[in-house]
Amino acid sequence: MAPRPAGRIAAVLTAALLGGAALADRAAEPFGDATRGADLYSQCTGCHQVGAGAENAIGPHLNDLFGRRAAALDGFRYSDGLQRMGADGLIWTRETLDAYIENPRALVSRTRMAYRGMEDAGDRADLLAYLRDFSASPADIPEAEPTAIAREVDLPPEVLAISGDAAYGEYLSAECTTCHRRDGASDGIPSITNWPEDYFVIAMHAYKQKIRPHPVMQMMAARLSDEEIAALAAYFGQID
């Protein structure tokens, strides 16, 4: 009988904390179909970048991911849950990444990652095979076709250059926090805390222009001026 998911995740986590080096060695073994994994990666591009020029976005970039300690990437504000797991010694390997992608909250409590999980083990193997290509020899990451997604809305530079007033954004945030939690938890509703400000601004204008389809968010965004959107971006971008 196959192990229950919770038991399997507990076993993976215990092994990762006690024997990370051995698991990292296993991560070098070939697995999955990287070409198919590139297609599956489309599920990740809303938050993560990988490849030449990849930067931290809503989520951290995924270059050189395998063998890295959780929450160890400089310049990105991780959730308390991931910071705690990293301090305890969690290393990203084939096994720990597989468990995290299957069910992020089962492995890391209170993670801000809103992804519900990838159920199929074959899909996960293919996705990880693709990501592994960007860790096996990070100095040789391909320079063609980086997988960062194009911006949904091509905004004028002056709109993106607006310096938002975080204090005003906190005042405006009352309507946002009827659904989105200030602490970054995402219990069925995505977290919007600690986003880079330009991502927040672009997302809100995508709702305003009805490019993103959520009717409530379209209505909310339509009420906001460019300055108010910038203020909200400033507030949620620095909220603790």
Side-chain angles (χ1 to χ4, degrees), residues 46 58 152 195 199 202-203 206-207 209-215 218:
I58 295 171
E152 297 169 88
W195 283 23
Y199 276 75
I202 289 167
Y207 286 120
Q209 296 183 27
K210 298 187 176 180
I211 294 171
R212 290 196 177 195
H214 196 289
Q218 288 176 355

Side-chain angles (χ1 to χ4, degrees), residues 166-178:
Y168 184 39
E170 183 175 10
Y171 168 75
L172 294 170
S173 70
E175 281 192 299
C176 304
T177 54
T178 58

Side-chain angles (χ1 to χ4, degrees), residues 175 201 203-210 214-226 228-229 232:
E175 281 192 299
V201 169
M204 291 301 292
H205 279 277
Y207 286 120
K208 194 170 186 176
Q209 296 183 27
K210 298 187 176 180
H214 196 289
V216 174
M217 286 301 303
Q218 288 176 355
M219 177 186 67
M220 299 288 287
R223 299 175 182 172
L224 299 171
S225 67
D226 293 348
E228 288 171 331
I229 289 174
L232 286 167

Side-chain angles (χ1 to χ4, degrees), residues 77 164-174 176-177 182 192-195 197 200 229-240:
R77 294 182 65 180
D165 181 340
Y168 184 39
E170 183 175 10
Y171 168 75
L172 294 170
S173 70
C176 304
T177 54
R182 293 179 192 271
I192 56 173
T193 62
N194 304 139
W195 283 23
E197 292 183 31
F200 191 103
I229 289 174
L232 286 167
Y235 171 64
F236 282 107
Q238 53 82 48
I239 192 171
D240 291 325

